[in-house]
């Protein structure tokens, strides 16, 4: 009996770790390497320049990393300890928050893009193309320009706007079911209409500073982000990622097709909307702090899927690391390309994502369903 129990435990351990393979490990390690290099470059440049060695020692300073008072001040908004040096303050209170926001935004957009592609069984789907970003963006822009007192509720409001946009897309695309092409076309329609409303709002903004801030936000930017944005996005990001990893089995079943999923006893439409809600929450958390960063949710799932395959858990974990590496790396390029002028990171992701999407279209004879 004891031997049988031990054998059963061993089999369970093997099956629970079966989704981890060398390809996924390579993706994770490679992404962490890119992220580390981008972090050191990001904290090194600025009005207070640092060598790479100084940046390394400051970022990994145990005096800061293991001090609960410092983390309490950063994550809960308390008073920053006065013993921090000028270098520590510049790195930890000004430069690192921008990187952390980039990590949160990149992971959110990549995860949400992967979920939308699975839910719709459409490899062209993403928060941007399905109109989710524009729906959430419209609500955020209204909040920034007319209802600034609601700023603490920004991710929730953005999620409501994204959910409303997705519902409209689904209603437009529905005709005895949906198809990949109809969903994309409906997303383009809804995104265009919401985008036009966003642009129209600028004619009602009298404050030039607000107008410029809103324009930067529409382009997708990490400029000026600090620990406040980290505090806004972090709880919603953790919730979305935990929920996403908890529904990988349902996502795998959805990939088998609607009829197969129904034959296995799944309530397809209910599961589809519930899972889409997770992706909308992740999208909203990203948009609320960084604006409309394009293409990350579209190209990262493709990049990861081409390496690790279509297994949902591998795909989501890969996106969790590749998304931040891509976005933080792109932000370094946005900051240094035309130094001292800093471009919005959304411009860089658009310049990277457009050619990649064109390459994808030229490479495949049939593009659409997955």
């Amino acid at each position: 009996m004891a031997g049988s129990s031990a054998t059963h435990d061993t089999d369970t351990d093997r099956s629970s770790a079966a989704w981890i393979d060398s390809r996924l490990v390579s993706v994770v390690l490679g992404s962490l390497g890119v992220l580390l290099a981008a972090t050191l470059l990001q904290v090194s440049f600025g009005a207070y320049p640092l060598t790479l060695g100084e940046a390394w020692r400051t970022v990994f300073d145990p005096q800061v990393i293991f001090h609960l008072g410092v983390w309490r001040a950063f994550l809960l908004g308390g008073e920053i300890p006065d013993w921090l040096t000028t270098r520590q303050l510049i790195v930890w209170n000004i430069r690192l928050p921008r990187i952390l926001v980039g990590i949160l935004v990149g992971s959110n957009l990549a995860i949400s893009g992967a979920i939308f592609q699975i839910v719709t069984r459409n490899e062209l789907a993403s928060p941007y193309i399905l109109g989710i970003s524009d729906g959430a963006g419209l609500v955020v822009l209204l909040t920034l320009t007319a209802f600034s007192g609601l700023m603490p509720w920004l991710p929730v409001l953005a999620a409501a706007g994204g959910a409303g946009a997705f519902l409209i897309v689904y209603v437009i695309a529905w005709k005895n079911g949906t198809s990949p092409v109809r969903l994309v076309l409906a997303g383009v329609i809804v995104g265009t209409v919401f985008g036009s409303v966003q642009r129209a709002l600028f004619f009602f903004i009298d404050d030039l500073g607000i107008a410029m801030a809103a324009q930067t936000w529409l382009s997708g930017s990490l400029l000026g982000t600090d620990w406040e944005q980290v505090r806004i996005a972090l709880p919603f990001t953790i919730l979305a990622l935990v929920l996403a990893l908890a529904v990988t089995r349902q996502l795998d079943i959805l990939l088998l097709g609607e009829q197969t999923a129904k034959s296995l006893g799944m309530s397809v439409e209910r599961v589809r909307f519930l899972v889409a809600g997770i992706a909308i929450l992740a999208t909203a958390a990203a948009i609320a702090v960084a604006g409309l960063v394009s293409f990350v949710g579209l190209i990262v799932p493709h990049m990861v899927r081409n390496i690790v395959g279509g297994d949902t858990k591998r795909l989501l974990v890969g996106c969790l690391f590749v998304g931040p590496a891509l976005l933080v790396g792109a932000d370094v390029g946005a900051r240094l390309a035309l130094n001292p002028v800093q471009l919005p990171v959304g411009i860089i992701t658009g310049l990277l994502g457009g050619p990649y999407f064109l390459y994808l279209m030229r490479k495949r004879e049939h593009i659409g369903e997955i």
Side-chain angles (χ1 to χ4, degrees):
M1 291 293 292
S4 175
S5 176
T7 302
H8 175 73
D9 291 341
T10 301
D11 291 341
T12 301
D13 292 340
R14 287 174 179 171
S15 62
S16 63
W19 58 275
I20 301 176
D21 61 8
S22 59
R23 295 173 299 173
L24 179 60
V25 172
S26 298
V27 167
V28 170
L29 293 178
S31 298
L32 289 175
V34 171
L35 187 58
L36 177 60
T39 297
L40 294 178
L41 286 174
Q42 188 75 291
V43 301
S44 298
F45 290 93
Y48 187 93
L50 301 173
T51 66
L52 290 178
E54 290 172 334
W56 176 279
R57 288 191 296 271
T58 309
V59 170
F60 296 101
D61 188 344
Q63 186 181 22
V64 179
I65 293 177
F66 299 110
H67 195 284
L68 293 179
V70 172
W71 288 108
R72 189 182 303 115
F74 290 155
L75 297 179
L76 300 180
E79 185 176 348
I80 298 175
D82 57 8
W83 54 263
L84 290 174
T85 66
T86 301
R87 181 193 300 173
Q88 290 170 330
L89 280 172
I90 289 174
V91 170
W92 279 88
N93 198 40
I94 298 176
R95 296 179 183 175
L96 273 181
R98 176 171 178 164
I99 296 167
L100 293 176
V101 173
I103 290 172
L104 295 175
V105 171
S107 61
N108 276 317
L109 292 177
I111 291 288
S112 63
I115 291 176
F116 279 126
Q117 289 176 12
I118 293 172
V119 165
T120 62
R121 299 190 68 239
N122 183 355
E123 63 182 0
L124 300 179
S126 74
Y128 203 85
I129 291 179
L130 285 177
I132 313 300
S133 294
D134 287 303
L138 177 58
V139 173
V140 172
L141 187 58
L142 282 170
T143 304
L144 289 173
T145 56
F147 305 101
S148 58
L150 298 175
M151 287 292 290
W153 297 94
L154 207 54
V156 177
L157 296 173
F166 183 71
L167 183 60
I168 295 172
V169 168
Y170 218 84
V171 169
I172 294 175
W174 184 269
K175 186 177 181 182
N176 298 322
T178 59
S179 70
V181 173
R182 284 208 299 271
L183 282 169
V184 170
L185 291 177
V188 171
I189 293 170
V190 171
T192 300
V193 172
F194 281 13
S196 297
V197 175
Q198 289 176 15
R199 289 187 289 273
L201 287 175
F202 280 89
F203 290 95
F204 300 93
I205 301 176
D206 296 326
D207 191 316
L208 180 60
I210 293 177
M212 294 181 64
Q215 183 59 52
T216 300
W217 179 85
L218 286 175
S219 301
S221 176
L222 301 179
L223 179 63
T225 53
D226 56 23
W227 285 102
E228 181 181 358
Q229 281 70 44
V230 175
R231 290 191 290 269
I232 289 174
L234 184 59
F236 296 96
T237 300
I238 293 174
L239 176 61
L241 295 181
V242 169
L243 292 175
L245 294 174
V247 298
T248 52
R249 180 175 176 274
Q250 287 77 8
L251 291 172
D252 281 329
I253 294 176
L254 284 176
L255 273 176
L256 299 176
E258 189 168 321
Q259 295 302 320
T260 302
K262 287 181 178 179
S263 69
L264 293 174
M266 174 181 283
S267 177
V268 174
E269 294 303 327
R270 186 174 72 172
V271 171
R272 182 178 286 152
F273 275 102
L274 289 175
V275 174
I278 299 172
I280 291 170
L281 178 62
T283 303
I287 290 175
V289 296
L292 301 181
V293 181
S294 61
F295 279 108
V296 175
L298 176 64
I299 65 174
V300 170
H302 282 292
M303 295 168 65
V304 176
R305 192 181 291 114
N306 287 337
I307 299 174
V308 306
D311 179 80
T312 300
K313 188 172 289 188
R314 288 196 196 105
L315 177 63
L316 293 182
V317 172
C319 287
L320 181 61
F321 287 89
V322 175
L326 174 65
L327 191 60
V328 175
D331 190 43
V332 172
R335 184 180 177 191
L336 301 181
L338 298 177
N339 190 45
V341 176
Q342 296 191 37
L343 297 173
V345 68
I347 293 177
I348 302 299
T349 58
L351 291 174
L352 294 174
Y356 183 85
F357 191 50
L358 179 60
Y359 160 77
L360 193 66
M361 293 177 61
R362 299 288 295 178
K363 181 182 177 181
R364 301 192 181 186
E365 295 182 5
H366 304 285
I367 188 167
E369 294 189 21
I370 58 175

